[in-house]
Amino acid sequence: TQLLEQSPQFLSIQEGENLTVYCNSSSVFSSLQWYRQEPGEGPVLLVTVVTGGEVKKLKRLTFQFGDARKDSSLHITAAQPGDTGLYLCAGDAGNMLTFGGGTRLMVKP
Amino acid sequence: NAGVTQTPKFHILKIGQSMTLQCTQDMNHNYMYWYRQDPGMGLKLIYYSVGAGITDKGEVPNGYNVSRSTTEDFPLRLELAAPSQTSVYFCASSQQGTGANVLTFGAGSRLTVL
């Protein structure tokens, strides 16, 4: 079983602060995805990174795929209350995605 | 577009009862998946299917069964429900062969076993 570990598990910050969420594995993935999930809903895709070292930006969110395609990070600049939610990374292992345990982010106004 | 539709949204079962969670998608995706999510946790794969007539076990298949008789439908059956199966169940689908495997999720089915 390919494991993905996310850290931190919980994060509570004030509006305007920056934060980074990490997703680590000992396995190599063909791609890695980040999803955001709000209470009572299914996860929704934020971004897919495919190439080792790739950096993608989505407004205030910056995603990076490790050079060896084993890890990824999500950096949020100037967090807002609307960023509150559960952030999940998922590694593509061919026929299935393996999900990390998630990082629950709360941004206080 | 409906996307991935799951029913029921909520259900309470007694220990030992059986039930089926329904999942249908209208995107003509070839891959479908069932995940369970325990409170505050990530998703664990129960079963998946790469096409009609083909199913495979995921990480946590014990206590569940699936079938895939059509491209659109992928029901999940719980036999002899146990309290450990209390969870939120998510169905998802994807179109393999078009690059990265991106999943579209349903809204979830919250199941409580008492």
Side-chain angles (χ1 to χ4, degrees):
Chain A
T1 301
Q2 297 170 302
L3 296 176
L4 275 170
E5 294 188 1
Q6 284 187 241
S7 61
Q9 287 185 296
F10 302 97
L11 193 55
S12 180
I13 60 173
Q14 293 295 133
E15 182 177 0
E17 292 184 8
N18 301 332
L19 67 116
T20 302
V21 175
Y22 299 94
C23 176
N24 295 299
S25 175
S26 58
S27 302
V28 175
F29 295 100
S30 58
S31 69
L32 199 139
Q33 300 168 20
W34 286 91
Y35 290 79
R36 179 165 168 262
Q37 184 180 19
E38 299 196 32
E41 300 180 8
V44 176
L45 179 73
L46 292 173
V47 77
T48 301
V49 284
V50 179
T51 306
E54 182 178 3
V55 176
K56 280 192 174 179
K57 291 191 175 184
L58 186 65
K59 295 184 180 178
R60 293 176 293 101
L61 279 60
T62 301
F63 304 86
Q64 185 163 6
F65 202 11
D67 291 340
R69 290 186 290 129
K70 294 182 179 181
D71 55 82
S72 181
S73 64
L74 158 60
H75 183 79
I76 301 179
T77 303
Q80 298 177 1
D83 295 327
T84 293
L86 179 66
Y87 290 82
L88 297 159
C89 66
D92 189 345
N95 285 339
M96 66 180 82
L97 286 184
T98 299
F99 280 82
T103 294
R104 188 165 297 279
L105 172 66
M106 177 175 289
V107 182
K108 301 176 183 177
Chain B
N1 291 335
V4 178
T5 302
Q6 293 182 233
T7 57
K9 290 188 183 299
F10 304 93
H11 195 79
I12 299 175
L13 269 180
K14 293 184 179 179
I15 294 172
Q17 288 185 328
S18 299
M19 80 161 298
T20 299
L21 301 179
Q22 302 291 343
C23 175
T24 186
Q25 53 95 5
D26 62 359
M27 298 171 286
N28 202 32
H29 284 172
N30 50 357
Y31 280 49
M32 295 188 74
Y33 309 81
W34 274 106
Y35 288 89
R36 60 175 287 172
Q37 185 176 35
D38 296 327
M41 305 292 286
L43 288 85
K44 293 185 178 179
L45 182 64
I46 304 172
Y47 270 96
Y48 68 101
S49 168
V50 303
I54 305 170
T55 61
D56 276 300
K57 295 179 180 179
E59 302 171 69
V60 290
N62 292 342
Y64 306 94
N65 279 299
V66 293
S67 60
R68 185 95 182 271
S69 57
T70 67
T71 299
E72 295 78 18
D73 300 306
F74 191 41
L76 176 71
R77 182 153 180 86
L78 283 72
E79 305 280 3
L80 299 175
S84 61
Q85 293 179 303
T86 293
S87 190
V88 180
Y89 292 84
F90 288 97
C91 179
S93 69
S94 69
Q95 184 61 40
Q96 280 284 37
T98 57
N101 184 16
V102 174
L103 271 60
T104 300
F105 283 87
S109 297
R110 183 177 296 274
L111 181 66
T112 302
V113 182
L114 300 175

